[in-house]
Amino acid sequence: MVAAIRPRKGGRGAVETTLPVGSGLSSSAALEVAVALALGFEAEPVTMAKLCQRAEEAATGVPAGLMDQLTVTAAIEGSALLIDFADLSMRPVPIPEGAEILVVHSGEHRSLDRTPYAARRAECDAAAYRLGPLGRLGADAMLGLPDALLRRRARHVVTECDRVRWCATALGAGDLVDAGRLMSASHASLSEDFDASTPALDGLVQHLQAIPGVYGARMTGAGFGGCVVVLGEPGAVDLAKLSTPAWRVRPSPGAQVQVL
């Protein structure tokens, strides 16, 4: 980040966080944005997010996406953020009252540079090269791919984009049951078609889905370990009875400088 911003003055700083590292909760994006703000870099959210994305790829070699950085910079309090990556347009989707959002750790820590994340990106790029932008395709488009593995990867992306749009509609209508159903379907696709899950993540999702009052659950982030996000009724999940760390969370505004 320092190399990307090239501040005129140097200094010393300390980093403190309550966000678990290597858990699929965007800790790297949070650090990047925090450093940019601390160094005095000012820009609108998309420009800030792109700078952070370039810095992360330079530091790790991982072809990371832009969702984490955009969420950290452009979040709206009380809302989810619907992002169209074709044009980077964003729309806040208010979270209905009566919804409780939990994050539960699977107990598996991971670092993306030691996972098949880059291979999944390459597989999606190969499918898109043959079919066109996957987020704009219909559900049957991947049938034109002769490679069975690429068909599975493309099917996940195409159906996931649909699920995201449908979930935004469900939240807008206050339909938490349908939103939760779509979250659970998302995890199944990530596990079966994208091969981005693990037995620990799958087992935790199944356990949480079986709790009365839980509408749905799916892994967070790029997968291969980390956390599960849960949508449910308030108090449906007793955090004290879980064997791994868990947190109740709420949608907050984007990152900002606080002068103490």
Side-chain angles (χ1 to χ4, degrees):
M1 287 302 301
V2 171
I5 294 173
R6 297 186 178 276
R8 294 185 177 183
K9 295 182 179 179
R12 294 178 179 269
V15 176
E16 296 181 9
T17 182
T18 57
L19 190 64
V21 176
S23 302
L25 297 179
S26 308
S27 59
S28 57
L31 177 61
E32 291 150 16
V33 175
V35 170
L37 293 174
L39 293 175
F41 184 74
E42 297 181 358
E44 49 85 29
V46 172
T47 300
M48 174 84 78
K50 287 182 174 180
L51 178 81
C52 294
Q53 180 192 34
R54 291 195 298 271
E56 181 167 340
E57 186 166 349
T60 66
V62 176
L66 196 61
M67 182 178 69
D68 292 357
Q69 291 86 350
L70 272 180
T71 303
V72 173
T73 57
I76 304 295
E77 186 169 14
S79 295
L81 199 61
L82 180 62
I83 307 170
D84 187 334
F85 284 92
D87 57 11
L88 295 182
S89 60
M90 293 172 278
R91 176 169 67 85
V93 180
I95 300 297
E97 294 205 10
E100 183 169 81
I101 303 172
L102 309 176
V103 172
V104 184
H105 206 298
S106 69
E108 287 185 320
H109 292 268
R110 58 100 178 108
S111 179
L112 280 188
D113 58 349
R114 299 184 184 132
T115 73
Y117 175 85
R120 296 293 178 277
R121 280 288 303 267
E123 290 157 358
C124 291
D125 288 344
Y129 178 78
R130 291 164 175 80
L131 299 176
L134 300 182
R136 293 289 186 263
L137 298 180
D140 297 330
M142 71 286 299
L143 298 177
L145 285 170
D147 186 290
L149 179 66
L150 293 187
R151 279 201 304 274
R152 289 172 53 217
R153 302 298 189 246
R155 180 169 60 209
H156 166 70
V157 176
V158 171
T159 58
E160 184 76 345
C161 288
D162 285 339
R163 280 187 291 269
V164 169
R165 298 182 188 106
W166 295 336
C167 191
T169 299
L171 290 173
D175 190 345
L176 296 176
V177 173
D178 196 40
R181 177 188 64 80
L182 289 162
M183 286 175 61
S184 296
S186 172
H187 182 85
S189 181
L190 283 161
S191 179
E192 296 163 12
D193 277 344
F194 214 60
D195 294 322
S197 189
T198 67
L201 281 170
D202 289 343
L204 180 58
V205 166
Q206 291 170 6
H207 169 70
L208 292 164
Q209 289 171 345
I211 296 175
V214 168
Y215 300 121
R218 73 182 293 278
M219 68 181 204
T220 65
F224 307 106
C227 293
V228 168
V229 60
V230 184
L231 179 67
E233 297 174 354
V237 180
D238 185 348
L239 303 191
K241 292 184 179 180
L242 298 174
S243 59
T244 52
W247 306 266
R248 286 186 171 87
V249 298
R250 59 181 178 79
S252 61
Q256 53 193 297
V257 174
Q258 291 185 335
V259 180
L260 301 178

